[in-house]
C-alpha cells in the first residue's frame, strides 16, 4: 500500500459547518474508498485462482503469518492509519457549507 502524500502546508476545503462533521465525513469516505479497492482486488484474486484450479480459500483459511509477515502487516497497518488520520491533523479552510448561498 502506498502512502498518500499531501502538501504539508495545504488546507483541505470544508463542506459542512462543523469541522468535526467535515473531518468525520472525510475519514468515512477515505475508508470507503480503501474498502472498495480491497474488495475489488480480493474478488479478482479469487476469480483468477478459480480459473487456475487453485484452492485459494482453503489456503487462506489455514495460513499462519510468520514473524516477518507480522512485521510487514504492522507497517502496512501504520501506513493505513497515518493516511486515514491525515485529515484530522490538518487545518481546514472555513468556507460556507456546500450549497449555501
Amino acid at each position: 500500500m502506498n502512502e498518500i502524500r499531501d502538501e504539508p502546508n495545504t488546507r483541505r476545503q470544508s463542506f459542512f459547518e462543523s469541522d468535526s462533521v467535515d473531518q468525520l465525513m472525510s475519514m468515512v469516505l477515505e475508508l470507503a474508498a480503501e474498502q472498495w479497492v480491497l474488495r475489488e482486488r480480493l474478488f479478482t484474486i479469487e476469480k483468477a485462482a478459480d480459473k487456475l484450479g487453485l484452492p485459494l480459500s482453503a489456503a487462506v483459511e489455514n495460513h499462519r503469518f510468520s514473524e516477518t509477515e507480522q512485521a510487514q502487516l504492522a507497517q502496512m497497518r501504520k501506513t493505513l492509519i497515518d493516511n486515514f488520520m491525515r485529515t484530522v491533523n490538518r487545518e481546514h479552510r472555513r468556507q460556507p457549507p456546500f450549497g449555501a448561498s
Side-chain angles (χ1 to χ4, degrees):
M1 174 179 10
N2 293 329
E3 183 176 353
I4 300 171
R5 300 197 188 276
D6 284 330
E7 295 297 321
N9 294 324
T10 61
R11 295 173 71 187
R12 190 183 58 73
Q13 183 175 353
S14 62
F15 296 95
F16 299 96
E17 284 188 41
S18 167
D19 284 343
S20 297
V21 171
D22 209 55
Q23 290 171 342
L24 180 60
M25 286 302 298
S26 294
M27 291 182 343
V28 168
L29 292 172
E30 183 88 23
L31 279 175
E34 183 72 23
Q35 175 65 25
W36 176 251
V37 168
L38 294 172
R39 183 172 288 179
E40 184 177 35
R41 288 185 63 90
L42 180 58
F43 181 81
T44 302
I45 290 168
E46 289 173 345
K47 294 303 176 187
D50 285 346
K51 287 181 181 178
L52 295 172
L54 298 173
L56 184 60
S57 293
V60 168
E61 292 298 323
N62 294 320
H63 184 75
R64 300 295 172 253
F65 294 114
S66 69
E67 287 184 22
T68 300
E69 291 169 330
Q70 289 176 4
Q72 290 171 329
L73 284 170
Q75 181 58 48
M76 290 188 300
R77 182 173 39 253
K78 181 187 178 315
T79 300
L80 174 69
I81 292 169
D82 289 347
N83 286 341
F84 178 66
M85 294 301 291
R86 77 179 182 278
T87 189
V88 173
N89 298 325
R90 181 172 54 173
E91 278 190 61
H92 289 54
R93 287 183 287 182
R94 286 306 320 151
Q95 294 182 345
F98 184 74
S101 44

